[in-house]
Amino acid sequence: MSEHRRKPPQPQGGGRAAARRGQSGSSSGRRAAPRGATGSPSDSYGSDSYDSGGEERPYGSRAEARRAAQRSTGGGRRRAAEPGRGGRRAAPGGPAGPGRGRGRAAAVSDKKRLIDYPRAGKYGWQRWLPSWKLVSGLCIGFFGSLVAVAGIGYAMVGVPNEENAAARSQNNVYYWEDGTQMVATGSGQNRQNVTIDRIPKAMREAVISAENKTFYKDSGVDPMGIARALANMARGGDTQGGSTITQQFVKNTYLSQEQTVTRKFKEMFISIKVGTKLDKDQILQGYLNTSYYGRGAYGIQAAAQTYYGKDADDLDESECAFLAALLKGPTYYDPAGNEGIDEAANKDANRKRSETRWRWILEQMHNDKKLTDDQYQKAIKRYPMPQGRKATKGMTGQISYLVDTAKKYVLNHSNITEREFDRGGYQIKTTFEKDKVEALAQAVKKVEKEKLDPENRELDKHVQFGAASVKPEDGAIVALYGGAGYEKGHFNNNADTSGVPVGSTWKPFVLAAAMEYGTYRSDGVGVSPLSKYNGNDDLKVRKPDGSYYLRKDNSIFRQQNESDYPWGYITLRKAMEQSVNTPFVQLGVDVGMARVREVAKRSGILDQSMVQELNPSFALGTSTPSAIRMADAYATFAAAGKQAAPYSVTSVKLNGQEVGGFEKPRVTRAIPENVANNVTNVLENVIQNGTGKNALGLGRTAAGKTGTTDENKSAWFVGYTQQLSTSVAMFREDPKSAKLLSMNGTAGEKSIHGGDVPTLVWTEYMKAALRDEPDPGFPEPDAIGKVQDAAGAPSPTPTPTPTPSETVSESPSATPSETPTLPSPSPSETCGFFGCENDGGTENGGGTGGDVSPSPSPSDTSGDVGNTRGNGNGGIFGGPAG
């Protein structure tokens, strides 16, 4: 029989096996353990454990006995309750024998373990509950390790022998496109240490009350602050607020500004050692002399001169509280604004943040008994508004705006902070070409001198210009005009700021969208520029469902032109030529303003510079891109639809080492080639026959568009050749409120249009910039789309077939002309790539529709767009202008 085959159960009361068990039990003086002695749940049978005669019921088999033994041990030490013969108890682990009564698990549990976890001899949740011995042992070990690590770290980290670059005086050096030096500027020219006795007591107390109340009592390290900083680092957040004044001094003087765990531990250990070597006044003096206060000012003396034009020891309590507030972060607490770095750092927001923190610091000083009641009331009575920005050495003329633009680009395309950048040591190579920058500035000055007389005409005062010139299919900014210069108190970079509506220079984006996508009536087929739309004034704009746009009062919205000339239904080409508004408003609605916005964005216009409400007026340029972005967007047309983001920096080095991230922007396909070429063809006609005729003085092939806005508050011209795309903006601005003023009457003219002064500036500059350059013209476009007239347009009448004349001319020409002579176009007739068209209008302005963008929108919300200059939202580099 196989030894693996289970034997049948033996009879309960007899058989040879029973006899053997009985004999074995009697011979050894022991008996088998009764069923109830195993401790197994199956043993709890009540009266069934023994038979009626009181005899023991033996196990049915060895396998059952083995299973019962395994159930009974469980790693424990229980023994059978009933003793065997001879006064000895049967082993609970098996049927008989002293060595078989315990299982292997029980034997293992008897061994002493270094860490008794999970706990032996415990069951259920108690098995996983650590003992107090284990907990206390681990705590002692953990804190002991910390002490050991701290001791080793303290011993290994020493105080550096000299201050690092953060505390030394350095400059940033900017270079022209050809590699020659433009200017050296930075903290190297704006840094001066002062001793503690020359730092006002109010300044010292302001910093202590605001940042480290226990400064004179603590060891120089805040363990809880460090823990918070490390936790923030682990989450990827900011580490600000995790340092004492001593730690900040150590970071400014000896360490880099990188936010790493290693640097944080070094800072901690060096701070402890510095606290034992220097007294508190020395530490506070060092901190105030190495801190960054914004505007390139390092140290309290430079800050006092920069913001208040006085020495540090002449500051009063209120001014000290203001400067202490800057230490929170000058980008966001300087009331002059830093919108080029972050759009949230605009003037209004910064002023509010600064005043709130200034007030809080004075309150803390008062609460800490550092200011008496009288001192506090005097200090908090008036916010100490600082002086405006000042020109530093070399930062004059257009250099100041070039540096401003390049700095913004660096900060927006790297991980370099403004504080690090202003510390100096950087070499920045730009895209700016010196001869073109000078040519643009001279063009503005020449036209200003010819047209404006602010000494004798009140309406010629406060006129400003902004301009930029960009290379198509590259994006390099070769020149810009930002204003009169820092030295004349003009710190806003007009080339790289928003707030000036672009007017009718927006219409090419509407036409491009129509050519690419068609209208809701053309089944996705592009619209031909020969399609006709109603050009009459006071047009009711129709929605795709046939209803009209309404104002808030439910009256019908009516779109205005500059004049009430009755154009009738004219081609889009003619409407662009004469800048008639109504056709492009209805076209924009038919195409979908979202499509227009998409095309403008792909061309290079930033989202944040476009108005959010896509009402009919959106088609007429209520948006406010910067001059740089408009030049770059038109460069997309010049490059046959290829787009490259504008850039002003080609390389950055820190102390001679290359900084990554400044490769040329990638060129992408933004607009279909034939769409872009057709737009260019239409814009060529604007210069040849329309509102841009003053650009004919360039003497070469060019395309462009004029733009004038509501109430004549701004005027633009944006034009291009294949080599350069240049935009010029002109506007008047109230110097106090920064609101735009009407230019009606400026330059002695009834109104200023984009085809006037801005076009003259553009032409003067482009003449000089393109001198000795070839005239490649533009690619010849293919016919595009289909003629899709607007709803309500009269059906075209068939052209009658001419009947041959039976009468021969009585006076034929003696010499037949080899070239047939075409009739000259009438004032209302335009000839171009698409042939001649007659729209019954006048040539260039007798009844021109003009460039003016209307003030009312269907919801009456866009009428005041552009009345106040923006704070950088339409800047070159995104989010923040820059």
Side-chain angles (χ1 to χ4, degrees), residues 20 171 305 322 427 489 497 596 622 660 662 712 776 862 879:
R20 282 195 300 270
N171 287 324
Q305 288 290 343
F322 168 84
Q427 298 87 47
T497 188
V596 176
T622 53
F662 295 97
N712 204 204
S862 65

Side-chain angles (χ1 to χ4, degrees), residues 108-122 127:
V108 172
S109 67
D110 280 345
K111 292 183 179 179
K112 293 292 184 179
R113 294 187 292 173
L114 180 62
I115 298 178
D116 185 20
Y117 192 81
R119 297 174 67 186
K122 301 293 182 180
R127 179 174 172 79

